[in-house]
Amino acid sequence: MKPDLYLLADKLEKTGNLTDEEFAGILLCDDPDLFECLAAKARSKKEEHYEKKVFIRGLIEFTSYCRNNCYYCGIRRDNRKAARYRLSKDEILSCCDTGYSLGFRTFVLQGGEDPYYTDDIMAGIVGDIRDRYPDCAITLSIGEREKHSYQRLADAGADRYLLRHETADRDHYGSLHPEEMSFDHRMKCLWELRKAGYTVGCGMMIGSPGQNTEHLIKDLKFIKEFEPEMVGMGPFIPHKDTAFADEKAGSTQLTLKLISVIRLMLPKALIPATTALGTLDPAGREKGLMAGANVLMPNLSPVSVRKKYSLYDNKICTGEEAAECIRCLKERVSKTGYEIVTDRGDPA
Ligand code: SAH
């Protein structure tokens, strides 16, 4: 590896930032030595704050209805072949019960942007989870809503919110979404979530169609400026019933490199090794942890609906019960030298 790239890795480790050209140098180099050097630094940064802990979040995919039409996503409105379902409040609470007894202390409610879940309904669900589990964190991942709605759900007891910005480049955003969706609105939502008091997560797909190094540098700069507490990144994976069916999937290696880079930029961030990463590469989640990730998000949705929440093809873990998933993950994680813990896992 070129010595100047080692120097860049050192600079990133020490200062948490690089110039655009320096970021480009790192992103464009596919030398495995650079990759391992960044990963080693990322692991030690992570361990300074979180030791060997890996936090688990129970993901409840509660609706596959969506009013949006994101070109990459399998549950987009215009996909007539998508199987649609909604979970009732009781079904959601029963997922939480199962999760709680398995040791989960964070529940993530994720779904399409489904108008059925009005503020009243959503606040009712959040409020009931809050009453039943005062010791748990409640994370929402339900897309773009208005400021008063974010506030109302925070008041009902939601603590955290995941809203990937998807890409920090306006034109690239325009090529991934129909005209009716707005880059400015998505970004505005992130700032409003912050103001409403949430612990906020942003993030992007790696290798989405049309994405180039310049776009990724913009993502890194946005992430540096926004300083999210959580950063969700997974490879883009095509879905057969979308316009991007024939596009190439993102790469494991680039996803891992970005996990390491972001760990060095935001040492205390909560970064998941995503299901998409585990789908693209059978050892993807373990590799994610070794690259600096410290969160896993196993599925708590009822097995009967798992396959219907199909954002991309061949998604893993759609067949097993939650108990089976967590057993499997514990084994996988212990082989990496890390250890799943069951506290809420708030940011350090
Ligand atoms: N409706 C919510 C939740 C979206 S699903 C929202 O708008 O935030 C969660 C994430 O899955 C998305 O933010 C997107 O980054 C990712 N995703 C969607 N389709 C994907 C695909 N084909 N490959 C990989 N990730 C995908």
Side-chain angles (χ1 to χ4, degrees):
M1 185 171 97
K2 287 199 244 147
D4 47 336
L5 284 173
Y6 278 112
L7 291 178
L8 287 187
D10 280 344
K11 179 176 170 192
L12 181 58
E13 180 186 34
K14 295 213 170 75
T15 67
N17 211 352
L18 293 176
T19 66
D20 291 10
E21 275 125 60
E22 291 169 335
F23 274 133
I26 284 195
L27 292 174
L28 290 167
C29 167
D30 47 23
D31 186 333
D33 289 345
L34 171 66
F35 170 77
E36 194 29 61
C37 161
L38 289 167
K41 289 181 189 307
R43 283 194 295 275
S44 66
K45 260 300 180 230
K46 163 175 83 166
E47 289 169 25
E48 273 173 35
H49 299 287
Y50 295 106
E51 298 147 2
K52 295 284 181 186
K53 293 179 191 166
V54 175
F55 304 107
I56 47 168
R57 319 299 194 196
L59 184 62
I60 304 169
E61 299 158 333
F62 70 98
T63 172
S64 69
Y65 284 87
C66 192
R67 65 182 168 139
N68 284 335
N69 232 339
C70 310
Y71 298 148
Y72 43 83
C73 183
I75 62 166
R76 61 198 298 263
R77 178 182 73 222
D78 287 351
N79 180 9
R80 296 280 130 80
K81 292 192 185 153
R84 309 289 177 176
Y85 70 91
R86 288 186 178 113
L87 299 186
S88 66
K89 178 156 81 177
D90 284 348
E91 287 172 311
I92 295 172
L93 286 167
S94 131
C95 295
C96 296
D97 289 343
T98 307
Y100 193 88
S101 60
L102 291 170
F104 288 89
R105 294 296 177 268
T106 295
F107 302 118
V108 182
L109 301 186
Q110 187 181 87
E113 289 195 16
D114 180 353
Y116 170 83
Y117 296 90
T118 57
D119 290 349
D120 279 345
I121 292 182
M122 230 29 241
I125 295 170
V126 170
D128 279 12
I129 301 177
R130 175 50 64 233
D131 289 345
R132 207 186 284 205
Y133 301 109
D135 55 334
C136 292
I138 302 172
T139 305
L140 298 176
S141 177
I142 51 175
E144 296 171 44
R145 292 173 93 97
E146 294 310 310
K147 192 170 154 186
H148 58 85
S149 169
Y150 288 149
Q151 194 59 60
R152 169 118 191 253
L153 299 176
D155 295 343
D159 325 280
R160 306 180 186 150
Y161 206 105
L162 302 173
L163 185 78
R164 292 192 181 172
H165 62 285
E166 312 296 0
T167 170
D169 182 272
R170 179 183 303 278
D171 292 340
H172 186 224
Y173 187 93
S175 72
L176 298 175
H177 302 93
E179 212 157 331
E180 74 222 29
M181 291 182 72
S182 149
F183 173 73
D184 291 324
H185 190 258
R186 196 152 186 101
M187 289 301 196
K188 186 165 155 241
C189 283
L190 280 169
W191 293 103
E192 273 163 0
L193 287 163
R194 162 75 45 78
K195 271 192 244 146
Y198 287 92
T199 296
V200 184
C202 66
M204 63 280 184
M205 287 174 288
I206 310 302
S208 57
Q211 184 182 65
N212 59 33
T213 304
E214 218 175 289
H215 300 148
L216 286 172
I217 295 169
K218 282 196 181 171
D219 288 322
L220 294 176
K221 287 163 72 164
F222 168 67
I223 289 169
K224 191 73 194 174
E225 180 199 351
F226 186 65
E227 292 193 336
E229 290 84 1
M230 309 177 282
V231 186
M233 286 173 298
F236 160 75
I237 301 174
H239 185 289
K240 60 183 182 344
D241 301 319
T242 63
F244 290 158
D246 297 325
E247 297 287 339
K248 260 198 0 237
S251 98
T252 302
Q253 212 54 6
L254 184 57
T255 305
L256 295 171
K257 200 198 282 181
L258 280 151
I259 290 175
S260 298
V261 167
I262 288 180
R263 168 64 60 206
L264 294 173
M265 292 171 68
L266 299 176
K268 295 183 180 174
L270 293 155
I271 305 177
T274 59
T275 305
L277 187 55
T279 297
L280 193 66
D281 180 329
R285 286 169 302 174
E286 292 90 324
K287 289 179 184 174
L289 298 178
M290 297 309 284
N294 58 345
V295 171
L296 290 168
M297 300 174 69
N299 205 314
L300 287 182
S301 314
V303 174
S304 57
V305 303
R306 293 256 187 106
K307 280 198 171 42
K308 299 182 187 165
Y309 196 79
S310 169
L311 309 181
Y312 47 82
D313 290 337
N314 307 317
K315 189 170 146 202
I316 53 168
C317 306
T318 55
E320 309 107 70
E321 292 294 341
E324 186 52 42
C325 273
I326 190 74
R327 198 174 315 131
C328 159
L329 273 181
K330 275 187 180 155
E331 249 169 60
R332 285 167 174 260
V333 169
S334 72
K335 287 186 190 138
T336 65
Y338 290 104
E339 184 202 357
I340 288 182
V341 296
T342 57
D343 60 73
R344 273 173 53 122
D346 286 305

